[in-house]
Amino acid sequence: MAKINDYYQKKQLMEKLAAELEKLEKDQALKSELEFENKVRDLMKEYDKSPKDVLQILSAIDPSIAGAKAETATGTRAKRPLKTYKNPHTGEMVKTRGGNHKTLNEWREKYGKEAVQSWQQD
């Protein structure tokens, strides 16, 4: 009986979604947006441009859109700051941009996390 209940629930959900989709398709604002999107895609094909090219052009026109969208699209981010730690017991120095350094982890096991953190140089 569980399968038949699942079937009817999904059928009702499909009918509900179909009604919502039909309502959206009649919405003039959506029609306008879809028409604009199609025209932009046609222009991109006509001039052989990618979405990335279009974003670069738009960011030249309006620099405020370049910051957030362009950087996240390329997947780059700022480097972590370089941190230097000096072991007062051995005089050994370690420079790292991340906290998962082999030598630092060994020091943390031997001397404790707080002690090693206090060895950070500025």
Side-chain angles (χ1 to χ4, degrees):
M1 286 304 261
K3 282 190 176 189
I4 198 165
N5 288 339
D6 191 36
Y7 169 79
Y8 283 117
Q9 284 178 346
K10 290 188 177 173
K11 190 171 182 176
Q12 286 177 340
L13 181 60
M14 281 181 53
E15 290 169 357
K16 179 182 174 189
L17 289 173
E20 288 178 20
L21 186 59
E22 187 177 329
K23 184 178 177 184
L24 275 174
E25 288 172 347
K26 292 178 182 177
D27 185 14
Q28 196 58 38
L30 177 64
K31 285 181 183 179
S32 176
E33 286 182 31
L34 290 172
E35 180 183 354
F36 177 74
E37 179 188 2
N38 289 333
K39 287 181 180 181
V40 169
R41 287 182 187 274
D42 289 343
L43 279 172
M44 287 170 47
K45 283 181 189 174
E46 181 180 338
Y47 290 95
D48 194 31
K49 297 292 180 186
S50 70
K52 188 175 182 179
D53 296 331
V54 173
L55 278 177
Q56 286 177 339
I57 293 167
L58 292 175
S59 67
I61 296 169
D62 183 3
S64 67
I65 64 169
K69 292 184 179 178
E71 287 179 20
T72 56
T74 59
T76 59
R77 66 175 194 195
K79 284 186 177 180
R80 292 181 180 181
L82 183 67
K83 294 182 180 180
T84 305
Y85 297 86
K86 183 175 181 181
N87 185 331
H89 304 285
T90 64
E92 185 180 3
M93 291 191 67
V94 171
K95 294 182 179 184
T96 182
R97 292 194 186 274
N100 200 15
H101 191 277
K102 181 180 177 183
T103 306
L104 281 179
N105 287 338
E106 290 171 1
W107 289 353
R108 287 181 185 123
E109 283 182 28
K110 187 172 182 179
Y111 302 107
K113 185 176 180 179
E114 292 80 20
V116 173
Q117 191 64 31
S118 70
W119 300 345
Q120 184 176 342
Q121 309 287 305
D122 289 326

